Amino acid sequence: MARLDVTEHCHNIAFPGHLHTQESLGFAQNFRFQDSDTVIVTYPKSGTTWMQEILTLIHSKGDPTLSQNIPNWSRAPWLEQFYSPEVLGASQSPRIITTHLPYHMLASALKGSKAKIIYVARNPKDVVVSFYYFHKMANFLPDPSSFEEFLDNFLEGTVHYGSWFDHVKGWTSHSNDLNFLYIAYEEMWKDLKGSLERLSSFLQFPLQPDELTNTQRHCSFNSMKENKMVNYTLIPEEIMDHRKGQFMRKGKIGDWKNIFTKQQNSRFEDFFDEEMLNTDLTFIWE
Ligand code: PPS
């Protein structure tokens, strides 16, 4: 499945054709969730891989065997990617499923479901920077051009996977209709132990103190950066060019300050204030 220059469109959102087909996007929207499923929901670059690692480790009681031997996309597959029917068809419950889709594309499939939804959000200034650098190395995404241009497209919601604003507002405004946990990347970064306790309690997978310590150790940035099953070095160079960047790039809060100009920051803040006016979500910016 190369299709590096193909773009699929669905609900007016662009998706990389290397990872998605019209069939796989249709499969996702008609998916039958099981109540025992845990679904990681993220806008790209918000902490998806981190949460995949955390949930794998919680399910394994801190034992890293699975997380160090099976790639993340096999143990927590993306619902909307082309391989999903095959991988999910063969997986056993309790399943960990990942999605970048906006709420409206999964609303009907999730209606009445008791599946556990874990929504991870990240400060959008860091998201846009991480996404920009990822476009430079991922040959299945368009050339991002300058950061200025990429930022415009991000704010307009014309980048692949659509608008960050619509994604966050769409999912969080339906939190009461779902079995839903909201967690911020920054919360995990500042208090990983507390975040793991909150997650294991939501998942009803209690951890003993040593299991918690092992989980914490194996999902640290440094440990994940060395783990081939999550750092994407298994992906061939023609698809992800590791000479142009690393998937596990910095893993920091506030890296946006190294690239945003003053002008870009004030434009971003005006846009953010207007878009997020009626939400009570708060973000840690640095
Ligand atoms: S993707 O492509 O949507 O699946 O990307 P995603 O996994 O959502 O986001 C990648 C960013 O998450 C950072 N990351 C981490 N930060 C802190 N701790 C841990 N353990 C961790 N694992 C992944 C990763 O470095 C990317 O952020 P940037 O800012 O680019 O470094």
Side-chain angles (χ1 to χ4, degrees), residues 148-262:
E148 177 81 12
E149 202 169 308
F150 189 75
L151 182 59
D152 280 345
N153 295 337
F154 181 84
L155 293 174
E156 295 294 314
T158 54
V159 289
H160 280 49
Y161 298 98
S163 157
W164 178 89
F165 299 94
D166 291 350
H167 201 281
V168 176
K169 289 190 289 185
W171 280 100
T172 55
S173 63
H174 288 91
S175 58
N176 291 335
D177 311 334
L178 300 162
N179 187 1
F180 194 87
L181 179 115
Y182 173 91
I183 192 160
Y185 174 100
E186 291 75 18
E187 179 183 345
M188 305 201 292
W189 204 88
K190 290 189 157 211
D191 179 15
L192 184 54
K193 185 162 176 274
S195 300
L196 295 177
E197 284 169 339
R198 195 153 89 80
L199 285 160
S200 75
S201 152
F202 175 69
L203 296 169
Q204 294 171 317
F205 258 90
L207 295 177
Q208 297 300 316
D210 59 322
E211 297 167 347
L212 184 65
T213 308
N214 287 338
T215 299
Q216 191 172 351
R217 175 150 48 97
H218 294 298
C219 73
S220 69
F221 182 79
N222 288 340
S223 167
M224 285 179 60
K225 196 176 167 70
E226 298 306 317
N227 182 357
K228 280 189 165 29
M229 299 298 141
V230 287
N231 66 15
Y232 285 90
T233 52
L234 292 178
I235 302 294
E237 204 125 289
E238 60 270 23
I239 294 167
M240 271 193 205
D241 193 339
H242 303 283
R243 292 165 309 182
K244 293 192 183 152
Q246 291 182 305
F247 181 88
M248 299 290 299
R249 196 180 58 91
K250 287 193 177 174
K252 293 240 154 74
I253 298 180
D255 187 42
W256 63 270
K257 289 200 286 184
N258 294 317
I259 182 164
F260 272 62
T261 62
K262 264 195 179 154

Side-chain angles (χ1 to χ4, degrees), residues 44-50 100 122 130 185 219 248-251:
K45 314 323 280 185
S46 301
T48 324
T49 320
W50 197 3
H100 285 324
R122 185 182 189 186
S130 178
Y185 174 100
C219 73
M248 299 290 299
R249 196 180 58 91
K250 287 193 177 174

Side-chain angles (χ1 to χ4, degrees), residues 106-169:
L106 291 184
S108 125
L110 281 169
K111 202 167 177 17
S113 170
K114 294 194 184 71
K116 298 181 184 73
I117 311 292
I118 297 180
Y119 190 88
V120 190
R122 185 182 189 186
N123 156 12
K125 292 184 193 174
D126 283 336
V127 169
V128 67
V129 171
S130 178
F131 210 11
Y132 172 69
Y133 285 110
F134 188 55
H135 274 66
K136 287 178 176 256
M137 71 173 298
N139 289 334
F140 54 86
L141 291 171
D143 177 354
S145 187
S146 64
F147 180 69
E148 177 81 12
E149 202 169 308
F150 189 75
L151 182 59
D152 280 345
N153 295 337
F154 181 84
L155 293 174
E156 295 294 314
T158 54
V159 289
H160 280 49
Y161 298 98
S163 157
W164 178 89
F165 299 94
D166 291 350
H167 201 281
V168 176
K169 289 190 289 185

Side-chain angles (χ1 to χ4, degrees), residues 57-71:
L57 286 161
I58 291 179
H59 278 207
S60 312
K61 296 190 169 294
D63 177 349
T65 310
L66 206 59
S67 66
Q68 291 176 357
N69 288 286
I70 313 258

